[in-house]
Amino acid sequence: MAQTDTTFLNALQSEEQQKLLDEIDNLRLAGVSEFVFLPQIIVCGDQSSGKSSVLEAVSSVPFPRSDTLCTRFATEVVLRQGPNVTVDVSIVPNKDALEPDRKRLQAFKESLGGLDELPDVMEKAKSEMGLLNTRKSFSRDILRVEICGPNQPKLTVVDLPGLIHAVEDQDPDSAEDEDVQLITDLVHGYMVNPRSVILAVVSAKNDYNNQIILKRARNIDPKGLRTLGLITKPDDPPEGSESEMAFFDLAQNHKIRFRLGWHVLKNRDYKERHCSTQERDEIERKFFSERIWKKLPREMVGVDSLRGRLSKILLDQIKMYLPTLTADIQTNLQECKDKLDRLGKSRDTSLKQFQFLLELSQSFQNLCRAAIDGNYNYPFFGSSAIDDEYRKRIRTVVQNRNLEFAESMRERGHRWAIVDDPEEPEDPDEEFDDNSCPYNPRVKSRASAIRWIRSLLARSRGRELPGSFNPLLVGELFSEQSVRWGDIARDHIKEMWLESKLFLEKVCSAIADEETATALFTYWIDPITDERIEKANKALDRLLADRDRHPITYNHYYTETLQDLRAERQIKELQRSIQGFLGVSSDTTYVKSGIRIDELAKSLSKRSSDMDEFACSELLDSMQAYYKVALKTFIDNVAIQVVEALLIGDLWSIFSPSDVGKMSPDVISSITAESTESQALRKQLEQQLVILEKGIVICRRSNKNKSYIKHLISYLFPTQPDQKLEELEKLP
């Protein structure tokens, strides 16, 4: 029974392997490899390293060879088992091909009656790629050769053009240098694919240290995790020579280590060019049974073991990456859809342009309303931890900026910082500047401030009694104290305007392609936002003009603040009088009893006989109290009447469906008309979408097949399905 189980599992494994390989080939044929890395084996090496001979040996197909330039394009060789020999040849256009060329190349399909027809068909393919009768030496298009036969391994390999060494003393603009760069870029593009197994072909005819492919492989795959080294022409070095020993050590993974190791293959030489495949394989087996090569394990030499080795490596690569491959295709598919969504529908007529702009305005309003309301549930808003995403949360930005503005006004809005310092500086008119910030207040002692106010009082006397002051002086002092409000507020308004423009740019970029978003800003949003900042500055001018009127307030906070200021000042004056009476220092807070109450009372009852000084002190208190009340009102007015009412509160109304209805046809066309580049991009994305959707279908079908196999094993082996699945996975 055990033998029967093994036979069944081998058959099941073979079927699953065939389907996996077919599905990956279907993805490649559908063009998915243009957008997503696919598991594959790439054959690469220096020019004339024997790559085509390797391909011929593995597939048993006589690929054309010459002693000059060999492979002039990438060739995908698909080998599958089947009862009859069939050969199908097609061309996969490169992703940058123009549409007419793409259609022409895709139409090239040949089904051969025999393998001997392959060279002629490949010449036809070269002609279609423009490689005959032109100066073009290499092509980025891909030749696909599907070969089915009873003796073929389950394998797909990509044969790449040989790396060409740069020619010295050569015109940098020559075609040869262009060919070197084209081949280098082409091979590099395949090698950097993290799902590619690099079959690095090294010819024993030349010192391996001088062969470009090894340097490239070690740079791209420094740990050698996905590189298999392949030594060709091992019969070229004389028997027993140092060169032969060097390549023998290389084959044993001693010199350059690869996780997949090395393999040695004998190519046909010129005398054996007409030998049959069976004769070629027999000559190779005889060679590896002699000389130093007979010491290598049989699984490391010869084409028979190479076929099985490559098949297993490819299957392992596919099994490893198939789950992430599906996710990559899905990600690319979603990105493609997002780009198409931003481009919108085709708009080659006036009606389509109008409908497109109408839909755009609705999306614009939805995002703006959500942002202004602080509803950040849309994917557009992203994560607040990222600064660029945080700036999309315009309500949050406004709140934080307004709080910063309020704090800045409280800390730096006043021109003079009045300090209650009884000790006069040497220069009684000395002022203390803090130049660390242009808006930082200048420090002035109360005594100095009173002297300054006294000069104003003397020049502004009216009919008021001595010891009192003209109420209009409060406004004059307040105007001087609040002179910086305009600059601070205007800076804040400009910042909020810039934040709103940045937010609108991000909204437009999210709902439209770059070209449309730029046009929408240029022809519609920019003029409106410019009008808004003008209105905001005019509104600020009105608020500042109100500041210059005579002081008006009915807020009881003014009286409370005035009383608090006077009480605080009186307490400090009483404290200094007591300390002076007792003859103690200013920092003394406790004294013993034995004080004469009448003497203390006389000391505290002293009043200033200078009526102007008294009036100045009262005036200063009144100005400071009024300043605190007016400051609160001004901060709120800027936030409400300017920022909210004119800049932020109705951002959604800048571009509404009703606006679209009022636009002239010329404006609509200027915003929505597509450039040639956008039309080409849409067509490219639509083609990409079709390809990726095919890829998703193929991947889902593959996953469904795997599920079916698991279900079948569970049905056939109900008592031990997991064990049978493990056996299936372990089969070679």
Side-chain angles (χ1 to χ4, degrees):
M1 182 63 183
Q3 181 63 37
T4 303
D5 290 350
T6 304
T7 303
F8 166 77
L9 291 175
N10 272 291
L12 196 59
Q13 172 79 349
S14 177
E15 181 182 358
E16 184 189 11
Q17 290 176 356
Q18 184 78 31
K19 287 181 177 177
L20 281 174
L21 291 168
D22 288 343
E23 299 296 25
I24 294 297
D25 287 335
N26 287 335
L27 288 172
R28 188 175 285 109
L29 187 59
V32 173
S33 58
E34 293 184 15
F35 315 107
V36 177
F37 290 131
L38 295 179
Q40 58 191 354
I41 292 176
I42 57 171
V43 184
C44 44
D46 289 19
Q47 180 187 340
S48 302
S49 60
K51 295 186 298 81
S52 295
S53 296
V54 172
L55 204 58
E56 177 185 310
V58 171
S59 64
S60 303
V61 177
F63 281 89
R65 303 194 309 277
S66 70
D67 293 331
T68 56
L69 291 179
C70 301
T71 309
R72 302 173 70 179
F73 42 78
T75 305
E76 290 179 357
V77 182
V78 181
L79 306 175
R80 292 291 181 271
Q81 290 180 351
N84 302 313
V85 175
T86 61
V87 181
D88 295 314
V89 181
S90 59
I91 298 176
V92 180
N94 75 84
K95 63 181 180 180
D96 298 323
L98 299 175
E99 187 59 23
D101 293 333
R102 177 181 291 274
K103 289 183 178 179
R104 176 176 53 79
L105 294 171
Q106 287 176 334
F108 180 87
K109 297 184 187 297
E110 297 280 347
S111 295
L112 312 186
L115 295 175
D116 56 339
E117 300 177 24
L118 184 59
D120 292 337
V121 173
M122 292 186 71
E123 287 300 306
K124 289 183 183 179
K126 288 180 183 179
S127 178
E128 289 293 330
M129 294 180 188
L131 294 174
L132 297 181
N133 302 321
T134 66
R135 292 190 62 198
K136 187 177 178 182
S137 301
F138 293 88
S139 173
R140 295 183 184 275
D141 303 317
I142 302 169
L143 183 70
R144 181 181 176 87
V145 182
E146 300 176 63
I147 304 169
C148 185
N151 298 319
Q152 291 294 349
K154 303 180 185 71
L155 185 62
T156 299
V157 295
V158 182
D159 184 35
L160 300 175
L163 292 166
I164 304 174
H165 291 258
V167 181
E168 295 181 1
D169 300 326
Q170 185 173 301
D171 181 359
D173 296 326
S174 67
E176 288 78 4
D177 268 351
E178 292 177 3
D179 293 340
V180 171
Q181 190 60 47
L182 189 152
I183 294 172
T184 299
D185 294 343
L186 178 65
V187 174
H188 181 80
Y190 275 90
M191 292 179 71
V192 295
N193 174 0
R195 294 170 182 153
S196 286
V197 174
I198 302 170
L199 185 60
V201 180
V202 178
S203 172
K205 201 169 184 176
N206 303 310
D207 186 344
Y208 62 81
N209 289 314
N210 296 329
Q211 299 190 46
I212 306 173
I213 183 58
L214 290 181
K215 180 179 179 181
R216 296 279 166 82
R218 283 182 288 184
N219 287 340
I220 293 172
D221 181 27
K223 295 183 179 179
L225 299 178
R226 54 184 180 91
T227 302
L228 172 65
L230 180 63
I231 299 172
T232 61
K233 305 177 184 179
D235 53 327
D236 190 81
E239 183 176 1
S241 65
E242 291 184 5
S243 178
E244 183 184 56
M245 180 57 68
F247 278 99
F248 180 75
D249 289 342
L250 187 67
Q252 296 181 88
N253 221 15
H254 290 164
K255 297 292 182 65
I256 299 175
R257 298 183 61 84
F258 295 135
R259 181 179 65 86
L260 299 176
W262 287 81
H263 202 93
V264 188
L265 197 69
K266 181 185 179 301
N267 304 66
R268 294 177 189 261
D269 58 24
Y270 183 77
K271 297 177 183 179
E272 300 163 358
R273 65 188 185 281
H274 298 302
C275 291
S276 66
T277 300
Q278 291 78 12
E279 289 172 333
R280 178 245 171 250
D281 292 352
E282 184 57 37
I283 292 172
E284 182 185 58
R285 277 191 289 271
K286 185 174 184 301
F287 173 78
F288 284 123
S289 65
E290 301 171 347
R291 295 172 54 167
I292 196 171
W293 305 106
K294 66 183 178 181
K295 297 180 181 180
L296 292 177
R298 294 302 87 186
E299 61 270 18
M300 289 176 56
V301 298
V303 70
D304 288 335
S305 57
L306 179 62
R307 292 188 188 112
R309 196 170 178 183
L310 292 177
S311 293
K312 185 178 185 305
I313 288 172
L314 180 58
L315 278 168
D316 289 344
Q317 199 79 347
I318 292 173
K319 289 178 181 178
M320 180 187 302
Y321 288 111
L322 190 58
T324 58
L325 180 61
T326 305
D328 284 356
I329 296 176
Q330 187 66 55
T331 299
N332 277 267
L333 180 63
Q334 188 59 51
E335 290 177 355
C336 181
K337 288 180 178 179
D338 291 342
K339 290 177 182 177
L340 278 171
D341 287 343
R342 285 196 292 273
L343 279 176
K345 299 175 183 177
S346 177
R347 41 191 190 273
D348 51 359
T349 66
S350 298
L351 179 59
K352 288 182 179 179
Q353 290 174 356
F354 176 79
Q355 291 173 337
F356 169 76
L357 203 57
L358 198 62
E359 293 174 0
L360 209 62
S361 67
Q362 291 170 340
S363 300
F364 177 89
Q365 283 201 319
N366 289 338
L367 284 181
C368 285
R369 283 185 183 275
I372 292 167
D373 292 341
N375 176 15
Y376 306 130
N377 293 328
Y378 287 84
F380 162 77
F381 296 105
S383 170
S384 61
I386 303 172
D387 184 64
D388 194 52
E389 301 290 301
Y390 157 73
R391 308 289 282 281
K392 297 176 181 178
R393 305 183 175 213
I394 191 64
R395 175 54 63 195
T396 303
V397 172
V398 169
Q399 294 285 72
N400 290 335
R401 291 283 191 180
N402 279 338
L403 288 171
E404 292 170 4
F405 166 66
E407 185 66 19
S408 179
M409 288 291 293
R410 284 191 291 269
E411 291 184 353
R412 294 182 289 278
H414 48 286
R415 181 174 184 180
W416 305 105
I418 310 299
V419 295
D420 190 14
D421 189 354
E423 296 183 5
E424 291 290 331
E426 293 182 6
D427 180 357
D429 294 323
E430 181 182 359
E431 296 164 359
F432 307 96
D433 281 326
D434 181 357
N435 295 321
S436 60
C437 174
Y439 293 148
N440 278 347
R442 302 175 71 180
V443 178
K444 184 187 284 286
S445 69
R446 183 176 180 83
S448 178
I450 288 176
R451 282 194 297 274
W452 167 56
I453 293 173
R454 184 191 288 268
S455 65
L456 294 178
L457 183 68
R459 294 170 180 267
S460 307
R461 297 187 188 278
R463 296 182 177 181
E464 64 272 10
L465 295 173
S468 60
F469 56 85
N470 188 334
L472 295 179
L473 281 179
V474 176
E476 188 174 342
L477 293 178
F478 166 74
S479 180
E480 179 78 10
Q481 181 73 328
S482 60
V483 70
R484 290 173 173 170
W485 285 12
D487 291 338
I488 297 175
R490 211 171 297 281
D491 285 349
H492 174 58
I493 290 170
K494 183 178 179 180
E495 288 177 0
M496 294 311 308
W497 175 68
L498 292 174
E499 288 289 354
S500 69
K501 288 193 66 172
L502 177 62
F503 165 74
L504 293 174
E505 288 175 3
K506 292 182 181 298
V507 170
C508 290
S509 297
I511 63 175
D513 61 284
E514 182 178 355
E515 182 182 7
T516 304
T518 301
L520 180 59
F521 246 85
T522 301
Y523 293 103
W524 191 258
I525 294 179
D526 259 345
I528 294 176
T529 54
D530 288 345
E531 288 178 8
R532 287 183 165 229
I533 188 63
E534 287 182 13
K535 291 179 180 179
N537 281 321
K538 288 179 180 178
L540 177 61
D541 290 340
R542 288 193 295 271
L543 292 178
L544 294 172
D546 291 341
R547 181 202 60 165
D548 292 333
R549 300 179 191 275
H550 69 274
I552 300 175
T553 182
Y554 304 101
N555 192 331
H556 64 85
Y557 179 70
Y558 167 74
T559 306
E560 294 175 359
T561 304
L562 182 59
Q563 291 174 344
D564 289 343
L565 286 171
R566 287 172 175 172
E568 182 181 357
R569 181 165 50 80
Q570 288 171 356
I571 290 172
K572 290 182 179 179
E573 289 176 354
L574 288 173
Q575 182 177 340
R576 284 196 291 268
S577 295
I578 293 172
Q579 290 168 340
F581 173 78
L582 297 176
V584 296
S585 63
S586 60
D587 57 353
T588 302
T589 58
Y590 174 80
V591 294
K592 295 181 179 180
S593 59
I595 300 171
R596 287 191 58 175
I597 296 177
D598 57 340
E599 294 295 332
L600 177 59
K602 287 180 182 180
S603 173
L604 297 179
S605 65
K606 290 180 180 178
R607 293 289 184 268
S608 172
S609 60
D610 190 330
M611 292 183 292
D612 282 351
E613 181 177 356
F614 174 78
C616 290
S617 180
E618 292 292 301
L619 177 56
L620 181 59
D621 289 342
S622 298
M623 183 276 288
Q624 288 182 294
Y626 182 74
Y627 178 89
K628 291 186 178 182
V629 174
L631 177 65
K632 295 176 182 291
T633 304
F634 182 77
I635 291 172
D636 290 345
N637 286 342
V638 170
I640 297 170
Q641 298 181 28
V642 182
V643 174
E644 192 67 24
L646 300 176
L647 294 179
I648 303 298
D650 63 341
L651 277 178
W652 55 269
S653 68
I654 287 179
F655 178 48
S656 67
S658 62
D659 291 327
V660 177
K662 299 173 186 176
M663 288 181 185
S664 68
D666 290 341
V667 172
I668 292 177
S669 177
S670 298
I671 295 173
T672 61
E674 288 186 287
S675 65
T676 304
E677 292 77 8
S678 291
Q679 294 174 3
L681 177 60
R682 174 182 283 102
K683 201 162 190 178
Q684 179 184 347
L685 288 171
E686 287 172 346
Q687 292 172 347
Q688 180 178 341
L689 186 65
V690 171
I691 291 171
L692 292 171
E693 284 177 339
K694 285 182 182 178
I696 286 294
V697 171
I698 292 169
C699 286
R700 287 173 179 168
R701 185 171 63 211
S702 174
N703 290 331
K704 185 177 179 182
N705 288 336
K706 291 176 71 177
S707 300
Y708 168 75
I709 291 172
K710 291 180 180 179
H711 176 74
L712 181 60
I713 291 178
S714 299
Y715 175 76
L716 293 172
F717 306 99
T719 59
Q720 45 185 350
D722 293 338
Q723 177 183 341
K724 296 303 177 185
L725 278 172
E726 290 179 8
E727 292 179 18
L728 178 64
E729 293 292 334
K730 291 178 181 178
L731 286 175

